[in-house]
Amino acid sequence: SLNAIPRITFFLSIAIAPAAASQITSCDRACLEGMADRYLQALIAHDPSRAPLADNVKYVENGIALKLGQGLWKTATGLGAYHHYFADIRAGQVGLITTVQQNGRGQIFTLRLKVVAGKITEAEHLVINDSFTASYYDKFKLDPLWLQETPPAERVARDVLIATANKYYTGMQRNDPKADYSFFHKECNRVEHARQTTNMPPSNYGHSDIPNFVTLGCEDQFKTGFLGFVTRIRGRRFAVVDEERQAVLAFGFFDHNGTIRDIPLSTGQNFHVPPYFSTPRTLIIAEGFKIKDGKIRLIEALLTESPYGMRSAFDAPSRVAPVAGPCDRACLRSLVDQVLAAMIDHDPSRAPLATNVRYTENGQELALNDGLWGTLTAR
């Protein structure tokens, strides 16, 4: 009978993880943009106490973890008029492309904040020290399409937004002119540092001497193979996904390993890569993408020089392998000679390297065969 069945009384206790808690105490678009504004006011006042910062806030500027109050917190003296916000309500993240005054000089500035339960737990700065380029933002008008909310029925899912933005980086990396670039909208335009770099009259782009590159649209530019000197795009973080506006703000690093000297373009031209890219160099980037009809419609790019191979403080740290075994002076000199000879030959297999060798260049940890391994020609 029913009465014969043992009865169990059972209590369930649930602890809400921080990520879930942040969704419960949500911060809408106005709240997130307001957080960015409060942060900026605290920044130019040089007073972190004026911003709603968590006790354990992580503060990173141009990829480097700093103590709160350092970096731009000491030098910001004013704000610019240009403001381009990205709000990720689900993840509690806000991004902002703007300009600041740093000791009276204009700087391009990208800000990302992570907000949990009303407190800022992460603050990320990209500060581009170029007052001349920053001045373009004084006259630049943001395309109103960026700010339009996409009707729910026309939106693509969050993971699709990220995957579409990532196709841009995968297509640019070594830029195969024969690849499929149909992920670009036919009306796509790209802006870099407040200057349009697509569908414009002929002019030299960056350090190049190919004036017709800027006359093309996004898809046709990639079909030339021109961008093949970007040998790797890594550390890709699609940090702020604005689902309502179908936009993404991403961060990462463009690596130029210095080995690409000439690129035969699909247009029949030969692009002799400028001397600027003849040595290994890395650019740290922030880039906004507007997705329309499932394709990339608008791009806003910002970038600045960083040490080659640099990693962000948001990347996982590398582990240092232990080293053992004696080696006297003659042994050490022989190892140096062997490693340099292998580097000149661009062949790590010719050096007596451990399987877990750690290779750094200018303080940055690199993969073997990267950096000077690809460009060293003589001793």
Side-chain angles (χ1 to χ4, degrees):
S1 71
L2 199 60
N3 290 334
I5 298 174
R7 298 183 181 183
I8 299 172
T9 305
F10 144 55
F11 297 90
L12 176 64
S13 173
I14 298 175
I16 299 173
S22 69
Q23 293 172 10
I24 291 173
T25 56
S26 63
C27 190
D28 63 12
R29 182 178 300 278
C31 166
L32 288 168
E33 292 184 5
M35 284 284 189
D37 293 340
R38 291 172 67 185
Y39 184 91
L40 289 175
Q41 291 298 326
L43 187 72
I44 62 173
H46 308 157
D47 184 0
S49 70
R50 294 179 59 175
L53 300 168
D55 292 338
N56 61 344
V57 61
K58 184 172 185 177
Y59 164 45
V60 172
E61 188 166 295
N62 289 9
I64 304 297
L66 300 176
K67 291 182 180 179
L68 207 61
Q70 293 182 328
L72 198 62
W73 278 95
K74 288 187 177 295
T75 56
T77 53
L79 303 176
Y82 180 82
H83 290 78
H84 181 186
Y85 295 94
F86 299 77
D88 188 337
I89 298 167
R90 191 190 304 195
Q93 304 234 28
V94 60
L96 174 61
I97 300 172
T98 185
T99 60
V100 295
Q101 293 287 315
Q102 187 169 213
N103 288 324
R105 288 171 52 85
Q107 313 285 285
I108 302 173
F109 180 47
T110 303
L111 171 68
R112 180 190 65 84
L113 302 176
K114 182 176 181 180
V115 179
V116 177
K119 296 287 186 180
I120 296 169
T121 60
E122 292 181 1
E124 181 173 8
H125 296 180
L126 178 61
V127 186
I128 300 173
N129 183 13
D130 186 345
S131 59
F132 176 76
T133 303
S135 68
Y136 284 101
Y137 275 107
D138 295 337
K139 300 173 286 186
F140 185 68
K141 300 296 182 184
L142 181 66
D143 189 319
L145 183 61
W146 280 108
L147 307 182
Q148 288 182 12
E149 286 201 8
T150 303
E154 298 175 18
R155 295 174 189 170
V156 298
R158 183 185 188 89
D159 59 340
V160 176
L161 290 172
I162 293 172
T164 303
N166 190 45
K167 288 178 181 178
Y168 176 85
Y169 293 134
T170 301
M172 180 182 289
Q173 180 174 281
R174 295 192 177 268
N175 192 197
D176 177 1
K178 297 180 182 179
D180 179 9
Y181 298 116
S182 60
F183 56 84
F184 283 118
H185 195 283
K186 293 302 181 185
E187 299 177 57
C188 172
N189 272 317
R190 181 179 186 271
V191 166
E192 182 178 315
H193 292 187
R195 289 181 290 182
Q196 189 166 312
T197 59
T198 50
N199 300 304
M200 294 295 286
S203 67
N204 289 353
Y205 170 66
H207 301 268
S208 82
D209 58 357
I210 305 289
N212 60 311
F213 181 74
V214 298
T215 68
L216 305 174
C218 299
E219 182 174 357
D220 286 339
Q221 284 186 344
F222 274 53
K223 285 181 175 179
T224 67
F226 176 93
L227 298 163
F229 61 98
V230 183
T231 50
R232 182 172 54 171
I233 301 176
R234 58 181 169 77
R236 307 176 195 183
R237 290 183 294 117
F238 302 92
V240 187
V241 182
D242 193 324
E243 296 180 69
E244 290 74 23
R245 292 179 178 171
Q246 297 281 276
V248 178
L249 180 63
F251 296 84
F253 295 94
F254 285 6
D255 286 342
H256 311 266
N257 68 13
T259 64
I260 310 298
R261 307 307 315 129
D262 285 279
I263 300 175
L265 304 183
S266 63
T267 58
Q269 298 165 286
N270 181 70
F271 174 33
H272 182 64
V273 179
Y276 177 83
F277 295 107
S278 64
T279 58
R281 59 196 331 114
T282 289
L283 300 174
I284 183 172
I285 60 165
E287 206 148 16
F289 299 92
K290 174 77 173 186
I291 311 300
K292 184 175 174 58
D293 303 324
K295 297 176 183 288
I296 297 174
R297 172 65 175 82
L298 295 172
I299 305 161
E300 183 170 3
L302 308 107
L303 43 88
T304 192
E305 189 96 13
S306 70
Y308 181 67
M310 180 176 172
R311 286 166 170 76
S312 169
F314 290 104
D315 292 345
S318 300
R319 295 181 179 180
V320 181
V323 178
C327 190
D328 62 14
R329 183 176 301 277
C331 164
L332 291 169
R333 289 192 61 161
S334 173
L335 289 175
V336 170
D337 291 342
Q338 291 177 71
V339 169
L340 287 173
M343 293 179 79
I344 291 168
D345 287 340
H346 315 309
D347 184 2
S349 69
R350 296 192 57 184
L353 301 172
T355 54
N356 61 349
V357 62
R358 186 183 188 193
Y359 170 50
T360 65
E361 189 170 297
N362 291 350
Q364 305 304 316
E365 187 168 343
L366 303 179
L368 271 181
N369 227 5
D370 202 356
L372 280 174
W373 283 93
T375 57
L376 197 65
T377 53
R379 185 174 173 182

